[in-house]
Structures are given as C-alpha cells and as structure tokens.
Amino acid sequence: MPLHLHNTATRSKDPFEPLTPGLVKMYCCGPTVYHFAHIGNLRTYVFEDLLRRTLEFSGYEVRHVVNITDVGHLTSDADTGEDKMEKGARREGKSAWEIAEYYTRAFQKDWKALNLLEPTEWPRATNHIGEQIALIEELKAKGYTYSIPGDGIYFDTAKFPRYADFARLDIEGLQAGARVAVTEGKKSPTDFALWKFSTPEVQRQMEWESPWGKGFPGWHIECSAMAMNILGETLDIHCGGADHIRVHHTNEIAQSEAATGKTFARFWLHGGWLLEAPDDGADGGKGGKGGGKMSKSSGEFVTLDVLIQQGYSPMDYRYFCLTAHYRNYLNFSHAGLDSARDSLRNLRKRTDALIGKSVPVRSDKGQEWQSRFLEAVNDDLNFPQALGILNLMLKDADVLDGEKATLVAEWDALLGLGLTVAEKSEIPDLPGDLTPLLAERADARKRKDWARSDALRDQFRARGFVLKDNPDGSVGWEKVSA
Ligand code: AMP
Ligand code: ZN
C-alpha cells in the first residue's frame, strides 16, 4: 500500500504525494522557549520524527523546519495576558534573551536524547521579524486588517469567509458565548493580533520598530512568515499537536491564504495529547492536578530529565510513545512507562543476539514480514501495529537469524530505538528497593547536597552497583562484587 496519512483538512486518510516529485516540504510548530518542554510536547515531536523517518524511508528528501517561538506567544489565546517570554524572564530574574537561549538548548538536548532527526532548519522568530512585518503589510494592503488604538493590528476574520472551515468552528456560538471576554475593540472573538503595540506602562525587553509603531509580533504570524519564506507559499505537510487546530493553525491558514491566494498546506497532521493519569504522581509526587492534558501553564509537569532521574532512559519514553497511535490520546503513568521499559528490554535481548549477523532477505517468509511491517507504517503511521509485527517476526522460527538481523536494522531506521547498537541492554537490572534512591540522589545533586549524594552512591556500592553519571545527564551503573 502506498503511504496514506490522515489529513485534518479533509478529515480522511488520503494517499500522500508531494507537490514536487521526490521532495517533501514539512513545517512543524516548535516549542515556546519560556520553560522546559514537558513529555507531552515531546510526544508530538516523536510523532513528527516517525513521520519524517517514514517519508525518508519512502525515498523522499524531506526539508523539515521546526521553529523556535522566542517571542510573541501570549498567555491567552484571546490575545490578552502577558508575553510568555517576558513572564519567564520575570520568573527567573534573567533577561528574555537569556531565557530563550537557555530553554532552546535544553529543548535541543531532549531532542537528541530521544534520537529525533535534526531538522533542516531551526528558525527563531526573533531572527525573522522583518518577514513578519512584510506579511502584515501585505495583509493590510489587501484590506484584511484593522487597528485597535493602544493595542495592536488585528486580522479581520469576517473578511476571510473560509475561516471556520478547517476546525469546523461554530462562529455564531463563539460570538454568543464570548460577549464578556472579548478584547475591547475586536470586531469578532475570532479576530487575532498580528502586531501588538508596546505600551508606556509596560517596559518590554523584546520590541521592534514597525510601520505601525514600536511593538512585537503576535504569535501566529511567525509560523506563516517563516514557513513561507523558508519552504515556499505551499507546504506539503504542516504538523503540530491537536490543541493547535482551533486557534493557531486556523489563524495560520487565514493569514497565509489571505496573503497569497494559494493553499498554505496540503496535508495537516495533528498529534493526540499526552494526558496526565490521575493519582499517578506523574509530576514526581508534587501534587499536580492529574487527569487532563499535560500543559506547561499548569506549572506542574514532567520533563524528560525527571524521567531520567527516576531511572528511565529516553528510549523507554520513545518506546512508550510508540505503543499508542499518534492520533489517539495517551495516558501517562509510571506503570505504563515501566511496562514499556520491560518490553524494550525484552526486545533488546532478542535484537542484541542478532547484531552482526545480517544477510539479505530472500525467503518468502522474510519478505512477507517486510510487507506486513511496511503496510502498517504506510497506513497512517500505525506504529503500535508495526511494533507488534516486529515482536512476532523475531519469534518466527521459520525466518533465519541473518534475515531477522537485516529486518531489525531496516525497521529501526523507522522506529529510531537504536536497536542496532547493543550498549544499553548491557545495563543490569537494579533491585527494586534501590530504584527510588536514584531520584533521591538526583534531588540531592540538584540541591548541591554532596554529602547526601555521596552517601547514596555508597549505598549502591555496598550492594554491588557502581553509578556512572553520563554527559547527557542520565545515570548508568555497572555490577561489581559487593
Ligand atoms: P508549545 O511549546 O506549548 O508551543 O508546544 C509545543 C508542541 O507540543 C505543540 O505542537 C503542541 O501542540 C504540543 N503539545 C502541547 N501539549 C501537549 C500534550 N499534552 N500532548 C501532546 N502534545 C502537546
Ligand atoms: Zn505554529
């Protein structure tokens, strides 16, 4: 079966072909770098990585752009509230620029740890202010904007009749429900800021001159401006989390298509949410809400570093993501992550034994497994099914080990689990009562309580485990005689 992808624009699984033969232009909304990415954000990037790998496996060159939102994302979708970067700067007593730099690096470290393929470009919104201003000028010249004095330049959604189509919005319902909350001066609750004016009352660290006065761009305009400048006016694929459908992507479509008169993106793919399981202590026991969509604004969320400190590896989390279809919700729980870790360990035991044995896949049985695996992947990235096929293939006594080794290596180019490298599976299991001490030691190190951290290290040593702090922040161990 040729590659089929579920397109949010058509609400159906459509056969995928890029506009330019052999080349896929793909834009993915990147992080807002005012805080660490949580594992919900990372789930979306894992899904996008699986898509990228699938496209490359199908023989396409992929131009993959992931932006860095380092300005303009307000704390509310209704264009009120504070700029998240300025808020992050106040929270930490640093400059907004320092905050952006620090969290961009932290994000890219998580990216590498999860074995996500490096994008072709990582454009930062603050490096593309000129293009954003030019796009707003274009929209103004075509009559799509209006100004609210003392506030900003807004997109007039009533002038774009298809505005509600993408998210199947009920505009009348929205208008009826929003009488109280709408920003003063907005003609419709769906209108959105393209440019916000700096005001004398608020001293901003990030602001620029524009034809309409000093200020800063709205959040949505950056993605349209960067995507179209780097990839061209029509993208093959635009991705993001499902939370972006109603506002952010709807606004991106309106402003891009109003400016160019062309389709902005042919395929829209959206990743389902990672949910916090209630009562799991998913936030490390700090008493977070639990049960809803994991979000940065809740203040309590789980990062990849927290998981590493709890003794999981980034690949355990990647495997956990692979167990659910990308469009479905996925409940995060430690029990679920433990079972992903166990499955990955078992898988590695089998695949490690095959390393170095590859021979070409010639048997009918081997080729049948190959087509079953690719069938699953090409069916809108059905990786949970593909994982099941991998496990069944490994147990099939009719397939030679050499063929198995070749299939594992080929399929791992899609799964990205590092199954052709044996190192991780050599780590011996820790006794259950020692595992919680890893988190305690990480906490002591964070507090620079070296005495406590050394005492904990000694406890591991006394039981025959020598701890090793890896450069990526994770902790490994070796078994020695106690
Ligand atoms: P942000 O940094 O908040 O702009 O989000 C970065 C990416 O993570 C976007 O594509 C969001 O749609 C996505 N995202 C946010 N929360 C979740 C979640 N709980 N589960 C999956 N994806 C999410
Ligand atoms: Zn975006």
Side-chain angles (χ1 to χ4, degrees):
M1 177 169 80
L3 179 60
H4 279 62
L5 298 171
H6 183 274
N7 187 352
T8 307
T10 59
R11 301 290 195 277
S12 63
K13 243 190 253 179
D14 299 336
F16 176 78
E17 287 281 351
L19 210 49
T20 310
L23 174 69
V24 179
K25 297 174 180 179
M26 164 163 148
Y27 184 90
C28 302
C29 289
T32 310
V33 285
Y34 72 111
H35 216 318
F36 293 111
H38 56 64
I39 55 173
N41 302 129
L42 297 175
R43 179 186 182 205
T44 291
Y45 300 110
V46 169
F47 131 62
E48 292 162 356
D49 184 65
L50 296 172
L51 170 62
R52 154 104 179 254
R53 286 168 181 270
T54 303
L55 293 164
E56 289 186 349
F57 196 88
S58 308
Y60 298 118
E61 179 196 337
V62 183
R63 224 165 271 164
H64 178 197
V65 175
V66 182
N67 68 298
I68 300 287
T69 299
D70 57 357
V71 68
H73 192 167
L74 300 181
T75 47
S76 128
D77 270 347
D79 290 315
T80 54
E82 224 178 328
D83 180 310
K84 288 183 173 176
M85 297 308 303
E86 304 261 345
K87 189 176 170 194
R90 255 199 308 103
R91 182 186 67 228
E92 298 186 21
K94 293 185 185 151
S95 79
W97 298 95
E98 283 168 334
I99 290 287
E101 190 54 34
Y102 178 79
Y103 289 111
T104 301
R105 280 174 195 272
F107 177 73
Q108 290 172 336
K109 185 175 144 238
D110 289 350
W111 188 278
K112 280 205 172 67
L114 284 166
N115 199 20
L116 307 181
L117 299 176
E118 188 72 12
T120 325
E121 274 193 56
W122 292 106
R124 294 178 190 222
T126 51
N127 285 340
H128 295 265
I129 301 291
E131 287 108 299
Q132 296 175 62
I133 291 176
L135 186 54
I136 301 169
E137 291 254 69
E138 176 90 34
L139 290 168
K140 184 162 180 274
K142 292 189 168 158
Y144 285 101
T145 66
Y146 62 92
S147 171
I148 303 180
D151 182 331
I153 306 288
Y154 280 77
F155 186 94
D156 190 346
T157 52
K159 298 249 169 76
F160 187 74
R162 300 194 305 280
Y163 183 80
D165 294 358
F166 182 66
R168 317 280 205 261
L169 295 177
D170 165 15
I171 302 280
E172 279 170 20
L174 278 175
Q175 274 165 342
R179 254 175 237 130
V180 196
V182 175
T183 305
E184 218 177 301
K186 264 209 217 182
K187 295 188 196 169
S188 157
T190 53
D191 293 354
F192 57 93
L194 297 164
W195 187 263
K196 294 281 280 183
F197 304 136
S198 295
T199 51
E201 307 86 63
V202 182
Q203 182 63 41
R204 284 188 58 87
Q205 299 180 31
M206 289 179 157
E207 56 183 3
W208 294 264
E209 292 297 344
S210 82
W212 323 283
K214 206 177 256 183
F216 62 103
W219 167 37
H220 316 293
I221 197 74
E222 70 167 81
C223 284
S224 293
M226 292 190 282
M228 293 199 289
N229 275 279
I230 298 170
L231 295 171
E233 289 175 343
T234 298
L235 316 172
D236 290 301
I237 306 181
H238 194 313
C239 301
D243 52 321
H244 283 345
I245 299 172
R246 284 175 65 86
V247 179
H248 183 50
H249 289 165
T250 288
N251 292 350
E252 277 191 49
I253 292 171
Q255 64 202 2
S256 309
E257 298 192 356
T260 67
K262 296 182 186 154
T263 299
F264 176 47
R266 299 170 53 241
F267 277 74
W268 286 86
L269 267 71
H270 289 101
W273 290 341
L274 182 79
L275 304 177
E276 292 177 25
D279 308 317
D280 173 64
D283 52 2
K286 284 184 271 147
K289 290 181 304 203
K293 167 180 171 285
M294 195 171 282
S295 75
K296 284 186 214 179
S297 52
S298 73
E300 305 271 6
F301 54 77
V302 186
T303 61
L304 190 63
D305 265 346
V306 165
L307 295 186
I308 291 170
Q309 286 161 17
Q310 290 169 346
Y312 300 99
S313 81
M315 285 305 103
D316 296 336
Y317 184 64
R318 187 174 173 109
Y319 191 100
F320 177 71
C321 293
L322 281 162
T323 60
H325 189 266
Y326 78 88
R327 295 205 298 123
N328 292 341
Y329 290 123
L330 175 58
N331 277 308
F332 177 74
S333 70
H334 283 92
L337 190 56
D338 286 345
S339 115
R341 177 171 57 186
D342 291 346
S343 306
L344 179 57
R345 279 191 186 154
N346 290 334
L347 176 61
R348 283 205 156 114
K349 274 183 198 140
R350 290 175 184 275
T351 56
D352 279 2
L354 299 170
I355 290 175
K357 293 188 177 164
S358 282
V359 299
V361 180
R362 296 220 170 84
S363 71
D364 287 350
K365 212 60 207 292
Q367 284 173 7
E368 193 187 314
W369 283 116
Q370 175 76 307
S371 4
R372 280 182 67 185
F373 186 89
L374 295 180
E375 188 88 355
V377 169
N378 282 343
D379 180 13
D380 194 30
L381 316 180
N382 194 339
F383 276 90
Q385 196 181 347
L387 262 191
I389 292 170
L390 168 61
N391 281 304
L392 288 174
M393 183 279 287
L394 286 169
K395 286 181 199 149
D396 185 345
D398 292 340
V399 184
L400 294 174
D401 274 3
E403 291 197 329
K404 285 183 181 169
T406 304
L407 291 173
V408 167
E410 276 188 27
W411 299 355
D412 194 53
L414 289 158
L415 299 165
L417 289 169
L419 299 177
T420 52
V421 185
E423 57 186 21
K424 287 272 159 83
S425 56
E426 285 161 7
I427 297 178
D429 290 350
L430 276 182
D433 62 318
L434 281 185
T435 312
L437 300 187
L438 282 176
E440 204 182 322
R441 178 168 169 272
D443 189 52
R445 284 166 64 83
K446 221 189 234 149
R447 286 184 281 107
K448 299 197 174 7
D449 182 350
W450 306 122
R452 179 74 192 131
S453 137
D454 287 348
L456 286 163
R457 177 187 284 274
D458 291 344
Q459 276 192 44
F460 280 86
R461 181 69 186 79
R463 300 277 297 279
F465 291 91
V466 174
L467 295 185
K468 288 192 298 183
D469 293 302
N470 299 321
D472 68 355
S474 64
V475 182
W477 49 87
E478 261 172 33
K479 183 96 181 82
V480 292
S481 49

